[in-house]
Amino acid sequence: MFKKILIANRGEIAVRVIRACHELGIVAVAVYSEVDRTALHVMKADEAYGIGPAPASESYLNIERILETAKRVGADAIHPGYGFLSENPRFARACRGAGIKFIGPSPESMELMGSKTRARQQMEKAGVPFVPGTSRGLESEEEAAQIADQLGYPVMLKAAAGGGGKGMRLVSGKADLGSALEAARSEAQRAFGDSEVYIEKAVINPRHIEMQVLADEHGNTVYLGERDCSVQRRHQKVVEESPSPAVNPDMRRRMGEIAVKAAEAAAYTNAGTIEFLADQEGNFYFLEMNTRLQVEHPVTELVTGKDLVHLQIRIAAGEKLPFRQQDVKMRGHAIECRIYAEDPENNYFPSPGKITGLNEPSGPGIRVDSGVYAGWNVPLEYDPLLAKLIAYGETRDEAMVKLSRALHEYDVAGVKTNLRLFERILGNKQFAAGNADTGLLARMAETNPTRDSHPDIAAICAAVFRMMDSRAENPVSAASVEASSWKKASRIEGLR
């Protein structure tokens, strides 16, 4: 087993990995940029070292500086978390060259599955079903038009090296194809340094379902059930749950077997996720593979009882998987909400600043994976994810009730958050019935009640504020109210 692991990340995922290291008796080393000097992951680690200025390119994406730090402090392994360098084959290869174990797949597997077009080619060889389209980049607008006519509109343009919705464009008709292709290529080049774009048939309002896989370095691969990630905004997941309300045992088995087949075709090791799109008829298609630990891994941990970060570390240390496929059982239901410092009422604009107050929920069935604390400044330079709130119950209904209670307890002061958005999602009839698809949030935004309705609430608030203003303008009157013996008696009684 490793003696010292450097975590090449920040925020809640760095805290999560640090805790796993401590549970395994491993020294945890944190790295931080200048703006993260007082971050929670720095405080939780056994050792912490600065790696550069705030811009990620000069700190958390600086391969040379991270490796130099790892060698200097004697770390024998690096955990990349998710994001940043977690799916960078050059980083994985550099770790190998430095004699430091990269806790993740090999750079060869990462390169194969990191490109969506190469992944599609590999899955085609392995007989894995995927959405009809091309398995190589488009060379011209004329070629795109010809293939789109064959597939039938609408079609989807996607960046081959993409993720997170970057370089994606939905094209409804031929007239929009040229401009959409140019925009997708330009965005892909800016985001990934690679302008390759391919085309596939658009599956309108599908469900986004992914399968967690684990593979050790001795040829054993298993799947740990699915996660439903259909509630998204701009192709970014917002709510995840396991198991999926749309998946029955037979579909789960078929998806799992295909996920294992896909992982084995890529000679994959460690934790990974095979993502699928499922249509309204229950057909599912390979979408891509994420060659890392997922943000939403806690829901799988809760329903399977398997600690994925422990298993990642043990696999990287050369251990065999301690269980077989038939040993994996799913029990209960878990739902996760991603808590962001952003303003849903202002086009989800980031809300950096000081957290002046923080009350995180707890209690039976509630888990909070957090990377913040009261008094900390949320920086503008990074993803605004603050924490993940996860609720677990024996049934989906029970998990939703616990999640609703926890959301009412959760309070973050000083910055805007998307907490109230989740209350609206839980109150949505389609979500409550387990019928959410990837278009749900867009439809909810079109009928946003916080902007257009509840005039009675607005009137009450206006009256309250008016009363407060009048009391401020008339201190004598206010003082006389405060001096009321009836009010004093009532307050004393209420404190008993």
Side-chain angles (χ1 to χ4, degrees), residues 31-316:
V31 292
Y32 59 88
S33 69
E34 289 176 359
V35 293
D36 273 343
R37 183 178 295 274
T38 59
L40 187 62
H41 74 282
V42 174
M43 299 180 179
K44 295 287 185 183
D46 301 294
E47 302 173 20
Y49 302 90
I51 53 171
S57 59
E58 300 179 48
S59 52
Y60 296 108
L61 292 175
N62 191 322
I63 293 175
E64 291 73 21
R65 192 164 295 166
I66 289 172
L67 281 178
E68 185 276 327
T69 302
K71 287 187 284 188
R72 176 162 51 88
V73 304
D76 43 5
I78 289 179
H79 196 300
Y82 54 72
F84 291 134
L85 295 169
S86 63
E87 294 183 281
N88 188 316
R90 188 166 72 87
F91 181 52
R93 190 169 279 111
C95 289
R96 178 193 286 173
I100 298 172
K101 183 68 175 184
F102 178 81
I103 300 177
S106 69
E108 292 78 18
S109 293
M110 206 180 291
E111 285 172 334
L112 181 64
M113 302 307 285
S115 165
K116 293 182 180 179
T117 49
R118 285 198 295 272
R120 285 170 68 95
Q121 292 164 15
Q122 193 69 18
M123 294 307 101
E124 191 172 15
K125 292 177 186 176
V128 173
F130 55 84
V131 179
T134 61
S135 295
R136 57 179 179 79
L138 295 167
E139 296 181 1
S140 66
E141 183 181 335
E142 291 73 24
E143 181 189 24
Q146 182 181 0
I147 296 172
D149 287 338
Q150 293 171 358
L151 295 171
Y153 290 94
V155 296
M156 186 72 81
L157 299 173
K158 291 186 175 181
K166 297 288 194 304
M168 289 182 66
R169 292 294 185 278
L170 177 66
V171 185
S172 301
K174 191 170 185 177
D176 303 321
L177 184 61
S179 59
L181 179 59
E182 183 179 351
R185 281 176 168 166
S186 176
E187 188 173 58
Q189 180 64 41
R190 291 196 307 272
F192 313 112
D194 185 347
S195 63
E196 183 183 4
V197 170
Y198 69 101
I199 189 172
E200 66 182 23
K201 176 67 178 173
V203 182
I204 302 301
N205 292 338
R207 297 192 82 122
H208 188 140
I209 301 171
E210 60 188 30
M211 186 67 66
Q212 178 71 57
V213 294
L214 278 173
D216 63 25
E217 297 176 357
H218 304 275
N220 304 304
T221 306
V222 299
Y223 63 91
L224 297 184
E226 80 284 354
R227 297 183 288 257
D228 196 314
C229 309
S230 299
V231 182
Q232 304 177 4
R233 63 168 181 84
R234 300 171 189 161
H235 308 289
Q236 290 274 19
K237 301 164 188 172
V238 176
V239 176
E240 301 100 346
E241 59 182 306
S242 183
S244 168
V247 174
N248 59 34
D250 178 65
M251 185 177 177
R252 178 175 301 117
R253 177 189 57 78
R254 289 186 290 118
M255 290 184 82
E257 289 174 355
I258 287 175
V260 167
K261 192 176 183 180
E264 290 176 342
Y268 194 86
T269 57
N270 216 271
T273 298
I274 307 295
E275 303 206 350
F276 298 95
L277 287 182
D279 61 23
Q280 302 300 321
E281 287 72 45
N283 302 305
F284 58 88
Y285 309 95
F286 171 81
L287 180 63
E288 63 181 335
M289 183 175 193
N290 286 311
T291 56
R292 55 172 167 79
L293 186 70
Q294 293 281 89
V295 178
E296 58 272 21
H297 74 273
V299 295
T300 296
E301 292 184 327
L302 289 172
V303 298
T304 63
K306 309 295 184 186
D307 189 309
L308 293 183
V309 182
H310 279 204
L311 289 166
Q312 276 195 297
I313 294 171
R314 291 187 178 282
I315 288 170

